[in-house]
Amino acid sequence: MKDGAAAVVDDERERRVVRLRHGIAPPLDVVLSPDEAEALAECSTVGQALELILAKPSLDPRFVANVRKTIAGPSVVVFEGRSGSEVANPRSRVDRRLVELPFEVGVSKAVRGGRR
Amino acid sequence: MSSATDETASPFRELRITEHALKKARRYARLVVDEFGSAECLGFLLAAPGSTVVDDVSLAPDQQASPQSVAVSGEAVLRAGREIEAAGKRAVGWWHSHGTFDPFHSGTDTSSATEVLVQLAASNIHRSSEELRPSLAADGAMVFERGFETLRLTLDDAAAPPVRLRLVRRLEVGFAFSLVVNARGDEPYAEVYTLCWSGGERLQRERVAVEVVRAIDEDELRRQIAERVRFTGQTEAHSRLRAFRRSSAEAS
């Protein structure tokens, strides 16, 4: 394969990356297939979009299980992409502008300290 | 969630933190009190990749602090994660202050520490293995016991030659520390939260001592050298030197 061809493949791959961040943990890059990328664009809620990303078999099942624990309760989902950023929750409708690949999606709960 | 009840609960007996990092957390606590009166603050415990020694603490962004509590939104936690990544560190837990009150763990703290563990467990994994030795039952079966788990092996063919079996159990434990300090510089309070996947998922918490690493931690440096440096210049002279050092060390 020529260098130029390899670069094209890498660019194509780069275009389908979702960076998945769970709170303060190091993020993971998830590469979607063209079909998955298309399916992502069809998701109607943030929760559905997340489930599609979490279904990738390449992800550590322990990481996936823990992300699911976080989104099961009150939590936020933050999209950061070329079109800007938005804070949502898993039940929100997807803003199609924001799921334009590549983008970063972060999932987290608030952290509180207190004497009670 | 339950508190630890047996030796499998946690591979950690203490939270190891450098003097600098502990002083920094206490200083944040004191300066926040100086600025706002009795108020709490929070941040994250940072370590070098591959290490569990806390060598720095961060102050989380966008905190809502009061005399009884402090809160950081989910968005701000994500922002803290980006800051930690940009600094080339990894989070091994969280810390917070109780203003001028005693350090301890409240119900709110336990709930947040559990969420911090859920975020970190898949990337902060302590791996170990242990060899289980069998005992021989009256009927000739080999019995491997550990805690409440028992594995019993019976060989069908009595005429088979003696068999020597080793059972190695691999343990993987996700972990996150929680540290509480105050502005008075009192003895800090720490717990470790663990998520063990061996034999079904089990989440536990346990109070641990705080060990302050005051000087250069040679054990930690040796561990890093063993992990990162491979010596390829083996010579006769080097072999003799190592043998001499080993025998000197044994003699002393």
Side-chain angles (χ1 to χ4, degrees), chain B residues 32-105:
Chain B
V32 164
V33 166
D34 288 351
E35 184 70 21
F36 304 111
S38 186
E40 303 194 354
C41 60
L42 77 78
F44 297 98
L45 302 172
L46 310 182
S51 171
T52 56
V53 178
V54 176
D55 62 9
D56 200 0
V57 295
S58 71
L59 187 67
D62 200 16
Q63 306 192 25
Q64 310 295 315
S66 79
Q68 294 87 23
S69 66
V70 58
V72 172
S73 68
E75 299 99 289
V77 172
L78 288 165
R79 207 181 326 153
R82 283 190 211 102
E83 289 174 359
I84 293 165
E85 185 190 3
K89 294 284 190 179
R90 68 166 181 152
V92 291
W94 73 304
W95 70 274
H96 75 285
S97 86
H98 275 185
T100 53
F101 292 85
D102 292 342
F104 65 95
H105 241 230

Side-chain angles (χ1 to χ4, degrees), chain B residues 94-174:
Chain B
W94 73 304
W95 70 274
H96 75 285
S97 86
H98 275 185
T100 53
F101 292 85
D102 292 342
F104 65 95
H105 241 230
S106 68
T108 305
D109 300 340
T110 297
S111 171
S112 277
T114 304
E115 174 55 25
V116 171
L117 171 70
V118 163
Q119 292 177 11
L120 293 178
S123 51
N124 284 349
I125 296 178
H126 181 277
R127 291 181 176 85
S128 61
S129 61
E130 62 172 346
E131 187 177 330
L132 303 183
R133 293 179 189 283
S135 58
L136 207 59
D139 61 358
M142 275 179 277
V143 180
F144 296 87
E145 284 183 300
R146 197 184 193 298
F148 297 112
E149 295 170 308
T150 301
L151 176 66
R152 201 181 147 83
L153 286 178
T154 308
L155 295 179
D156 287 338
D157 186 359
V163 177
R164 193 170 291 172
L165 282 178
R166 280 173 3 116
L167 191 63
V168 177
R169 178 184 158 115
R170 200 177 71 160
L171 296 170
E172 291 197 330
V173 177

Side-chain angles (χ1 to χ4, degrees), chain A residues 21 62 112 114-116, chain B residues 67 85 106 108 112 172 201:
Chain A
R21 188 180 290 278
R62 295 172 295 200
R112 293 183 175 83
R115 288 183 279 115
R116 290 180 185 157
Chain B
E85 185 190 3
S106 68
T108 305
S112 277
E172 291 197 330
E201 192 175 286

Side-chain angles (χ1 to χ4, degrees), chain A residues 22-58:
Chain A
H22 189 193
I24 48 167
L28 297 180
D29 282 348
V30 183
V31 182
L32 301 179
S33 69
D35 286 350
E36 288 164 339
E38 205 170 297
L40 186 72
E42 298 299 317
C43 290
S44 56
T45 67
V46 167
Q48 278 175 11
L50 273 175
E51 281 301 328
L52 190 142
I53 296 162
L54 294 174
K56 289 290 288 186
S58 56

Side-chain angles (χ1 to χ4, degrees), chain B residues 233-247:
Chain B
Q234 188 80 7
T235 63
E236 181 69 18
H238 179 259
S239 299
R240 281 203 300 272
L241 178 64
R242 293 196 73 176
F244 172 73
R245 281 183 179 158
R246 266 200 305 275
S247 62

